[in-house]
Amino acid sequence: MQLFKTIFLFELRLLARQKFILLLIGFFFLTGIYSIYYGYHFTKKQLAAIDSLESGYQKKYKELEAGFSADTTTAAGKTLFHQAGIPSVIEYKNPLNAIHKPQSISILSIGQRDIQPYYDVITRRRNFVQGANAEISNPEMLASGNFDLAYVVIYLIPVLAIALTYNTWSKEKEQQTDKLLSLQGIYFGKIIGYKLTFRFLLIGLMVWLLSIIGFICSAALIPFDLTAAILWLMGASAYIFFWFAITFFIIRLGKSSVHSALYLLGLWCGLLILLPALCNTIVRLYYPIPLKTDAAVALRENSEAVWAMPRKLLIDTFYLNNPKYKHLREATDTSETSNKRFAAYYDLLGRRMTRSIEHYNQYPAAQNKAMSGLNWINPATKTQYLLNEIAGTGLNDYLSYQEQVNAFQKTWVDFMSGYIISDKKLSLNDLRNLSQFKLKSIKNKNQNIIGGILYLLGISFCIIFLSKKITVKI
């Protein structure tokens, strides 16, 4: 314990004298502060858009609600009163919105939120092209990303760790102080371990401080989630520990400072640039994703084909697919302006597009599954996925949201079709009790995150164990 205390005091004094190292640490800290500002600004912008959507919906909702008590002594009032409760009018004037709100600490890891749609309009045109301008297989492959705190932790903190530790042993060897310590009976390996521990705690405290600042900033926008914060700190700490385990392994090889620095920088390039790019290329080669323009073309073609169907055939198909409405069948169903004809059109178009979208979705699902499998060979990529999952901004979060939107749209279609087919209006009470979209969390998400953190720790301890097997000659 006395040696441990002595090493720590010595490292603190040495750090205070090294102005360049202090400037380097300050630079990385300010970089982390900027990344928090970037994530805060991005999330605030999305929240402003969401607030605008919700306020617009509430404004239109009050107008629809006022229609039930409109003044029928005026022409405008008569029109509003007549339209009050008509399903198609309600859906046209004020459609529901399914919103994927930012989660507790999403400002720290933007993930997929910059390219994936975070809201969808709920209408009877269900299961059509969601977010047609979004590319579903984005920067999770560590090719690039937003300058958020996750980026700083994944990419930049390892560089700082390398800068602080690459010559921990070689410097002592080059100055020949290792021999002096050995002659005095002090186990040199223990000293190196203490020196690395000091640097690990230094960087870890900096990352924790940045994370806590991020939590405080995030709490100003989004309700704070203690579980997510703890998992974030655990994940970031495990990743830093992984890089110190690699550093310890390189140090135990006994190479010069230059060689150690080159080896560590080579590993950084390999784990953060080359390997992710290679995995990304392999996955895209074997699991290509078709263009979303194909789905848009399918929508146009199916829309034209369904509308061009003979009316009787269209109505017959509708009742065949929806036998619960057979008792409402009438001879006027095939008329030009029949509500049932429009309901039959949307129903059949939705069924056809469901098959098209399901066919399309199997490609990104297969790609995501393949990438998840390859993550286990690269702790850096695995950490990126972990931090995105903790922040609720990963691809799995988006796919879960999209699946829930499609399910909710189907429920909405069935609800509105019941009124349209029966030629009924919604009452004021029905309007007030319209179902709203509520996003559910992914099952076993935290368990999977903890499993990923344990994987990082396991890899790190294995590297340390192998390092111990290397004989250091003094």
Side-chain angles (χ1 to χ4, degrees), residues 91 123-126 128 306 314 340-352 413 417 420:
E91 190 176 59
T123 68
R124 282 175 290 161
R125 295 170 64 89
R126 64 180 174 85
F128 299 161
V306 172
L314 179 61
K340 294 177 183 178
R341 181 194 175 198
F342 287 100
Y345 164 76
Y346 284 120
D347 180 78
L348 184 57
L349 180 59
R351 292 175 185 275
R352 290 189 177 185
V413 169
S417 295
I420 293 172

Coordinates of all heavy atoms in Angstrom, one line a residue, residues 91 123-126 128 306 314 340-352 413 417 420:
E91 N -59.4 12.3 -40.1 CA -58.1 11.7 -40.6 C -57.4 12.7 -41.5 O -56.2 12.8 -41.4 CB -58.3 10.4 -41.3 CG -57.0 9.6 -41.5 CD -57.3 8.3 -42.2 OE1 -57.9 8.2 -43.3 OE2 -56.9 7.3 -41.6
T123 N -52.2 7.1 -40.9 CA -53.4 7.2 -41.7 C -53.8 5.8 -42.2 O -53.1 4.8 -41.8 CB -53.2 8.0 -43.0 OG1 -52.2 7.4 -43.9 CG2 -52.6 9.4 -42.6
R124 N -54.8 5.7 -43.0 CA -55.2 4.3 -43.5 C -54.2 3.8 -44.5 O -54.3 2.6 -44.9 CB -56.6 4.4 -44.1 CG -57.7 4.4 -43.0 CD -59.1 4.5 -43.6 NE -59.3 5.9 -44.1 CZ -60.2 6.2 -45.0 NH1 -61.0 5.3 -45.6 NH2 -60.3 7.5 -45.4
R125 N -53.4 4.7 -45.0 CA -52.4 4.2 -46.0 C -51.2 3.6 -45.2 O -50.1 4.2 -45.1 CB -51.9 5.4 -46.9 CG -52.9 6.0 -47.8 CD -52.5 7.2 -48.4 NE -51.3 7.0 -49.3 CZ -51.4 6.7 -50.6 NH1 -52.6 6.6 -51.1 NH2 -50.4 6.6 -51.3
R126 N -51.5 2.5 -44.6 CA -50.5 1.9 -43.7 C -49.5 1.0 -44.4 O -49.7 0.6 -45.5 CB -51.2 1.0 -42.6 CG -51.9 -0.2 -43.2 CD -52.6 -1.0 -42.1 NE -53.4 -2.1 -42.6 CZ -53.0 -3.3 -42.9 NH1 -51.7 -3.5 -42.8 NH2 -53.8 -4.2 -43.4
F128 N -46.7 1.7 -45.8 CA -46.1 2.2 -47.0 C -44.7 2.6 -46.7 O -44.2 2.3 -45.6 CB -46.9 3.3 -47.6 CG -48.3 2.9 -48.0 CD1 -49.3 3.8 -48.2 CD2 -48.6 1.5 -48.1 CE1 -50.6 3.4 -48.5 CE2 -49.9 1.1 -48.5 CZ -50.9 2.1 -48.7
V306 N -54.9 -1.3 -58.1 CA -56.1 -1.5 -57.3 C -57.2 -0.6 -57.6 O -58.4 -1.0 -57.7 CB -55.7 -1.3 -55.8 CG1 -56.9 -1.3 -54.9 CG2 -54.7 -2.4 -55.3
L314 N -63.5 -5.4 -56.6 CA -62.8 -4.8 -55.5 C -63.7 -5.0 -54.2 O -63.2 -5.3 -53.1 CB -62.6 -3.3 -55.7 CG -62.0 -2.5 -54.6 CD1 -60.6 -3.0 -54.3 CD2 -61.9 -1.0 -55.0
K340 N -67.6 2.6 -48.9 CA -67.1 1.3 -48.8 C -66.1 1.0 -50.0 O -65.2 0.2 -49.8 CB -68.2 0.3 -48.9 CG -69.2 0.4 -47.7 CD -70.3 -0.6 -47.8 CE -71.3 -0.4 -46.6 NZ -72.4 -1.3 -46.6
R341 N -66.3 1.7 -51.1 CA -65.3 1.5 -52.2 C -64.0 2.0 -51.8 O -62.9 1.4 -52.0 CB -65.8 2.2 -53.4 CG -64.9 2.0 -54.6 CD -65.2 3.0 -55.7 NE -64.2 2.9 -56.8 CZ -64.0 3.8 -57.7 NH1 -64.7 4.9 -57.7 NH2 -63.1 3.6 -58.7
F342 N -63.9 3.2 -51.2 CA -62.7 3.8 -50.7 C -62.0 2.9 -49.6 O -60.8 2.7 -49.6 CB -62.9 5.2 -50.3 CG -63.1 6.2 -51.4 CD1 -64.4 6.6 -51.7 CD2 -62.1 6.7 -52.1 CE1 -64.6 7.5 -52.7 CE2 -62.3 7.6 -53.1 CZ -63.6 8.0 -53.4
A343 N -62.9 2.4 -48.7 CA -62.4 1.5 -47.7 C -61.8 0.3 -48.3 O -60.7 -0.2 -47.8 CB -63.5 1.2 -46.7
A344 N -62.4 -0.3 -49.3 CA -61.9 -1.5 -50.0 C -60.6 -1.2 -50.7 O -59.7 -2.0 -50.7 CB -63.0 -2.0 -50.9
Y345 N -60.5 0.0 -51.3 CA -59.3 0.4 -52.0 C -58.1 0.4 -51.0 O -57.1 -0.2 -51.2 CB -59.5 1.7 -52.6 CG -58.2 2.4 -53.1 CD1 -57.6 2.0 -54.2 CD2 -57.7 3.5 -52.3 CE1 -56.4 2.6 -54.6 CE2 -56.6 4.1 -52.7 CZ -55.9 3.7 -53.8 OH -54.7 4.3 -54.2
Y346 N -58.3 1.1 -49.9 CA -57.2 1.3 -48.9 C -56.9 -0.1 -48.3 O -55.7 -0.4 -48.0 CB -57.6 2.3 -47.8 CG -57.5 3.7 -48.3 CD1 -58.6 4.6 -48.3 CD2 -56.2 4.2 -48.7 CE1 -58.5 5.9 -48.7 CE2 -56.1 5.5 -49.2 CZ -57.2 6.4 -49.1 OH -57.1 7.6 -49.6
D347 N -57.9 -0.9 -48.1 CA -57.6 -2.2 -47.5 C -56.8 -3.1 -48.4 O -55.8 -3.7 -47.9 CB -59.0 -2.9 -47.1 CG -58.8 -4.2 -46.5 OD1 -58.5 -4.3 -45.3 OD2 -58.9 -5.3 -47.2
L348 N -57.2 -3.2 -49.6 CA -56.4 -4.1 -50.5 C -55.1 -3.5 -50.8 O -54.1 -4.3 -50.9 CB -57.2 -4.3 -51.8 CG -56.6 -5.2 -52.9 CD1 -56.4 -6.6 -52.3 CD2 -57.5 -5.3 -54.1
L349 N -55.0 -2.2 -51.0 CA -53.7 -1.6 -51.2 C -52.7 -1.8 -50.0 O -51.6 -2.1 -50.2 CB -53.8 -0.1 -51.5 CG -52.5 0.7 -51.8 CD1 -51.8 0.1 -53.0 CD2 -52.9 2.2 -52.0
G350 N -53.3 -1.7 -48.8 CA -52.5 -1.9 -47.6 C -52.0 -3.3 -47.5 O -50.9 -3.6 -47.2
R351 N -52.8 -4.3 -47.9 CA -52.4 -5.7 -47.9 C -51.3 -6.0 -48.9 O -50.4 -6.7 -48.6 CB -53.6 -6.6 -48.1 CG -54.7 -6.6 -47.0 CD -55.9 -7.4 -47.4 NE -56.9 -7.3 -46.4 CZ -57.0 -8.0 -45.3 NH1 -56.1 -9.0 -45.1 NH2 -58.0 -7.8 -44.4
R352 N -51.4 -5.4 -50.1 CA -50.4 -5.6 -51.1 C -49.1 -5.0 -50.7 O -48.0 -5.6 -50.8 CB -50.9 -5.1 -52.4 CG -52.0 -5.9 -53.1 CD -52.2 -5.5 -54.5 NE -53.3 -6.3 -55.1 CZ -53.6 -6.2 -56.4 NH1 -53.0 -5.3 -57.2 NH2 -54.6 -7.0 -56.9
V413 N -56.4 1.5 -38.8 CA -57.2 1.2 -40.0 C -58.4 0.4 -39.6 O -59.5 0.7 -40.1 CB -56.3 0.4 -41.0 CG1 -57.2 -0.2 -42.1 CG2 -55.2 1.2 -41.6
S417 N -62.1 2.0 -40.2 CA -62.9 1.2 -41.2 C -64.2 0.8 -40.6 O -65.3 0.8 -41.3 CB -62.1 0.0 -41.7 OG -61.0 0.4 -42.4
I420 N -66.4 3.8 -41.1 CA -66.6 4.2 -42.5 C -67.6 3.1 -43.2 O -68.5 3.5 -43.9 CB -65.3 4.2 -43.3 CG1 -64.5 5.4 -42.8 CG2 -65.5 4.3 -44.8 CD1 -63.1 5.4 -43.3

